[in-house]
Amino acid sequence: RISGVSLRRVLDSRGNPTVEADVLTVSGGFGRATAPSGASTGEHEAIELPPNEAIAAARKHAVPRLVETVHAGNQREVDAALRGADGTEEFSEIGANSAVAISMAAAKAGADVLGAPLYQHLGGAFRGDQFPVPLGNVVGGGEHAADATHIQEFLAAPVGAPSVAEAAFANAAVHETVGDLLTERGIPAAKGDEGAWAPAIDDSEAFEIVAAACDQVAEEVGFDISFGLDIAASELWDGDAYQYGETSRSPEEQIDYVAELVHEYDLAYVEDPLEENDYEGFAALTERVGSEALICGDDLFVTNTERLQQGIEQGAGNSILIKPNQIGTLSLAVDAIETATRNGFTPVISHRSGETEDTTIAHLAVATGAPFIKTGTVGGERTAKLNELIRIAEDAV
Ligand code: PGA
Ligand code: ZN
């Protein structure tokens, strides 16, 4: 049983405050987890409260429901108590940031009690041995960097990598090569919130550079490296059209544009190609290119099983991004993963632009056999997850 929950404000990778939770059990188990935070958040996400408010509300409503009553090892019980304590659909009472930090910390305490690694506790004895391919953000802009590309993320996808370690190092090599190519062209570049290069170039030049870097590194490492995109189209959408600086695209033009990009660059992955309520547009694009690329809903689905169900019914996409803090608990995230998998949708476990050294998502990806994880390429809060995957791979094989 849980004997104590403590909550504090700590720093995230942007220097913003975020919620950290410690969960202790009567038998001496301990777990600590920290909530991440988005910048290009979907309008249907669970609510993130200012950390001070989230902590105060969770101390008042959630902690008394957990302590001395709930078992840390029973994740469904923990997460049901959090939902009961909050009482709203979108965690607006205690904040999804408090909820997800406590949910993840309880999972770690439950694993600690068993003396098992978190992925094993979450995945159980019938877990497979699939490791996720890391999608690595190498160039980006949008809400993650000012005056950079309109497309939010260009993601290296080392689909041919023989191991998660080789995949992670390949992504780092693509990141470095992109940096070299930018320097050769005399283009200065800082890094955005997720560590990707954020040069002031057109999207078309970014495509050229990323394609060249992926090819160059693929040649060096001897396996296939594709790439993909997070268009984060809700951020470009003005209610009538998608605005790319001087260029404006109607929804139909946007579908044509993305389908052409998939063909021209042989893209493996496209996230949020259309705005967050356009199920029909997602369905039209999926019908055109869904056999060639993953069409992934992030802001469309927000890790919400009901929204995913609608997508499954309409054929809107063939993949879902999974961010536990979009929905507030690990149980709800696992529900979305399981619903996706049962219906042929590929789950992609994901970080947020505001991150911490927490590694829960690496364990969640291994536990659920998710084929992909999107967790950046460089920077300590990103490599924390990649390095954890490398360690788990050593442990698990
Ligand atoms: P966010 O962006 O964490 O800023 O929402 C990540 C994404 O859109 O995938
Ligand atoms: Zn996204």
Side-chain angles (χ1 to χ4, degrees):
R1 277 171 299 119
I2 291 175
S3 59
V5 178
S6 46
L7 296 157
R8 66 181 69 82
R9 254 164 45 112
V10 296
L11 297 147
D12 77 6
S13 55
R14 280 191 274 253
N16 293 330
T18 188
V19 178
E20 180 166 272
D22 289 357
V23 169
L24 280 160
T25 75
V26 171
S27 57
F30 173 75
R32 171 174 292 161
T34 317
S37 175
S40 68
T41 48
E43 71 179 55
H44 304 288
E45 290 192 25
I47 307 291
E48 177 186 315
L49 292 176
N52 273 336
E53 286 173 38
I55 288 170
R59 280 184 186 140
K60 185 162 167 217
H61 301 293
V63 175
R65 289 217 189 201
L66 292 163
V67 172
E68 298 300 338
T69 43
V70 172
H71 287 90
N74 186 339
Q75 195 65 38
R76 296 251 171 223
E77 199 184 5
V78 170
D79 293 340
L82 288 168
R83 293 197 81 184
D86 181 89
T88 70
E89 277 294 304
E90 66 287 343
F91 277 109
S92 53
E93 194 63 42
I94 66 169
N97 37 351
S98 274
V100 83
I102 295 170
S103 178
M104 299 191 304
K108 292 183 188 179
D112 190 35
V113 168
L114 296 173
L118 180 58
Y119 70 86
Q120 188 66 35
H121 171 48
L122 293 175
F126 295 99
R127 182 185 61 82
D129 59 2
Q130 179 164 7
F131 271 76
V133 174
L135 300 172
N137 192 355
V138 293
V139 172
E143 292 295 298
H144 294 166
D147 303 321
T149 55
H150 295 288
I151 290 177
Q152 183 178 281
E153 298 166 26
F154 290 77
L155 300 150
V159 289
S163 70
V164 72
E166 282 160 280
F169 279 104
N171 284 351
V174 173
H175 186 276
E176 188 185 7
T177 304
V178 166
D180 293 344
L181 294 174
L182 290 168
T183 305
E184 271 171 33
R185 293 180 185 216
I187 302 163
K191 291 179 195 167
D193 283 353
E194 294 182 354
W197 298 109
I201 56 178
D202 290 344
D203 289 6
S204 61
E205 189 167 13
F207 275 103
E208 245 177 67
I209 290 172
V210 173
C214 289
D215 286 350
Q216 195 177 313
V217 174
E219 184 102 352
E220 284 160 23
V221 296
F223 53 77
D224 271 3
I225 305 176
S226 305
F227 73 101
L229 308 171
D230 181 1
I231 298 181
S234 290
E235 307 295 337
L236 306 173
W237 177 246
D238 70 1
D240 289 310
Y242 296 94
Q243 302 299 343
Y244 296 74
E246 315 276 271
T247 309
S248 171
R249 294 186 173 93
S250 70
E252 295 72 32
E253 288 167 340
Q254 175 78 354
I255 292 169
D256 289 341
Y257 173 58
V258 176
E260 283 159 23
L261 290 173
V262 169
H263 293 144
E264 184 169 355
Y265 295 100
D266 207 8
L267 299 179
Y269 177 84
V270 185
E271 182 180 323
D272 285 351
L274 295 145
E275 57 93 9
E276 60 203 324
N277 292 303
D278 190 4
Y279 282 91
E280 278 117 50
F282 264 80
L285 180 66
T286 305
E287 193 163 304
R288 267 174 71 172
V289 299
S291 60
E292 298 155 69
L294 292 180
I295 304 298
C296 182
D298 170 14
D299 293 348
L300 179 72
F301 296 137
V302 293
T303 317
N304 181 312
T305 299
E306 265 174 50
R307 291 186 65 84
L308 172 62
Q309 285 289 6
Q310 190 184 335
I312 290 165
E313 278 159 31
Q314 288 185 232
N318 55 21
S319 174
I320 176 175
L321 207 69
I322 300 290
K323 294 167 166 170
N325 83 320
Q326 280 183 326
I327 194 71
T329 68
L330 278 179
S331 299
L332 291 169
V334 167
D335 289 344
I337 294 169
E338 288 179 345
T339 301
T341 304
R342 270 201 310 278
N343 289 280
F345 270 53
T346 300
V348 178
I349 314 301
S350 174
H351 66 169
R352 302 305 304 247
S353 51
E355 265 297 337
T356 72
E357 55 276 27
D358 192 282
T359 61
T360 305
I361 57 167
H363 288 267
L364 180 64
V366 175
T368 57
F372 293 93
I373 185 169
K374 187 174 93 157
T375 187
T377 304
V378 296
E381 72 282 7
R382 317 291 153 188
T383 56
K385 284 74 162 167
L386 298 168
N387 289 339
E388 190 74 350
L389 285 168
I390 291 170
R391 293 180 203 109
I392 296 171
E394 198 176 85
D395 192 38
V397 289

